[in-house]
Amino acid sequence: MNKSVATNLIAAIFVLVGYGLEQQIVFTIGLFALSGAITNWLAIHMLFEKVPGLYGSGVVPSRFEEFKAGIQHLMMQQFFTQENIDRFLTSSSASNIDLTPVIEKIDLAPSFDALVDTIEKSSFGGMLAMFGGTEALIPLKEPFIEKMKQSLVELAQSDQFNAILVNELEQPSVMADMQAKVANIVEQRLNELTPELVKQIVQDMIKKHLGWLVVWGGVFGGIIGAIAALVQ
């Protein structure tokens, strides 16, 4: 059972039992506990829902734009700062970037065609014509592409290449461009948020703890009720 419902139900039972059996202490404890639990439940409800006539209710949806701006400021000023990006680039994870998947997708056929064209226009063109012209080089196309990809992979995995890559990425212009692109991505993602989605996100994060506010409201309300009854 929901903690809020259980707390209100228990407090209501105290009220009914105290009233029915004319037990003033039990009745007062239940009444104060019920008022404390209901007050906290209403406060939680007003946090997420706009209640007509109650100023300040629905603070999460009404502050939607400020919520988005806060997230954007947090992401760009705390996480994607120039210092943090530079720290990442100089770390071991950045210096060992695996470009193999990228190289595998590169179409190197134009490179082979350019090589053939160069040979054909060079002093070897006449000799090549004696052996069937450029058609004689077609069987070499696939081995050439495979060998080129293998060489590029080995180059990309070398320490010298990674050092050059990191050095270029650390250039101020590159760093600024990277930050601008990250900011653009963050802004695009935030623009996809709606007030309802923001409300749901916040509710999901703190739902468990909000239930305890109702429970403790009932507990402290009951304690205050007991003290009030005893004083009387």
Side-chain angles (χ1 to χ4, degrees), residues 11-152:
I13 291 174
F14 268 72
V15 172
L16 294 175
V17 171
Y19 180 80
L21 299 179
E22 297 184 353
Q23 294 291 326
Q24 186 62 30
I25 294 180
V26 176
F27 176 77
T28 305
I29 291 174
L31 188 62
F32 274 68
L34 185 61
S35 63
I38 289 179
T39 299
N40 281 8
W41 173 82
L42 181 60
I44 293 170
H45 181 75
M46 289 171 59
L47 185 64
F48 299 102
E49 303 294 341
K50 186 72 175 178
V51 180
L54 295 181
Y55 176 78
S57 61
V59 62
V60 172
S62 65
R63 299 292 182 179
F64 170 63
E65 292 301 327
E66 293 180 24
F67 181 82
K68 289 201 307 180
I71 293 179
Q72 186 172 16
H73 181 270
L74 175 67
M75 295 295 290
M76 299 310 303
Q77 299 300 321
Q78 299 298 324
F79 293 100
F80 295 105
T81 62
Q82 183 171 342
E83 293 76 13
N84 287 340
I85 295 175
D86 182 66
R87 190 180 300 116
F88 168 76
L89 292 175
T90 55
S91 67
S92 57
S93 58
S95 61
N96 291 309
I97 300 175
D98 185 12
L99 297 177
T100 303
V102 177
I103 295 173
E104 290 295 335
K105 294 178 181 178
I106 296 176
D107 182 15
L108 294 176
S111 300
F112 179 79
D113 296 337
L115 175 63
V116 171
D117 184 63
T118 301
I119 294 175
E120 188 177 21
K121 293 178 180 179
S122 70
S123 57
F124 294 97
M127 186 182 300
L128 181 62
M130 297 173 56
F131 293 95
T134 56
E135 296 297 326
L137 298 178
I138 297 301
L140 300 177
K141 184 174 183 177
E142 290 302 322
F144 171 83
I145 291 176
E146 288 299 321
K147 191 64 177 179
M148 280 291 294
K149 287 186 177 181
Q150 182 181 346
S151 299
L152 289 174

Side-chain angles (χ1 to χ4, degrees), residues 79-231:
F79 293 100
F80 295 105
T81 62
Q82 183 171 342
E83 293 76 13
N84 287 340
I85 295 175
D86 182 66
R87 190 180 300 116
F88 168 76
L89 292 175
T90 55
S91 67
S92 57
S93 58
S95 61
N96 291 309
I97 300 175
D98 185 12
L99 297 177
T100 303
V102 177
I103 295 173
E104 290 295 335
K105 294 178 181 178
I106 296 176
D107 182 15
L108 294 176
S111 300
F112 179 79
D113 296 337
L115 175 63
V116 171
D117 184 63
T118 301
I119 294 175
E120 188 177 21
K121 293 178 180 179
S122 70
S123 57
F124 294 97
M127 186 182 300
L128 181 62
M130 297 173 56
F131 293 95
T134 56
E135 296 297 326
L137 298 178
I138 297 301
L140 300 177
K141 184 174 183 177
E142 290 302 322
F144 171 83
I145 291 176
E146 288 299 321
K147 191 64 177 179
M148 280 291 294
K149 287 186 177 181
Q150 182 181 346
S151 299
L152 289 174
V153 169
E154 292 175 356
L155 175 64
Q157 292 176 345
S158 67
D159 294 337
Q160 183 182 10
F161 175 85
N162 282 303
I164 295 173
L165 177 62
V166 171
N167 183 64
E168 289 299 317
L169 290 175
E170 289 179 337
Q171 296 301 315
S173 59
V174 176
M175 197 81 70
D177 184 60
M178 191 179 300
Q179 280 186 301
K181 289 181 179 178
V182 171
N184 185 50
I185 293 172
V186 171
E187 184 176 1
Q188 287 180 353
R189 294 297 296 168
L190 288 176
N191 287 337
E192 296 175 6
L193 292 177
T194 63
E196 185 63 30
L197 183 57
V198 169
K199 184 183 76 173
Q200 188 62 48
I201 291 172
V202 177
Q203 280 182 321
D204 290 343
M205 286 192 299
I206 60 179
K207 184 177 181 180
K208 177 181 178 181
H209 303 286
L210 289 179
W212 283 109
L213 290 179
V214 177
V215 173
W216 288 116
V219 170
F220 287 115
I223 293 174
I224 295 172
I227 294 173
L230 291 174
V231 169

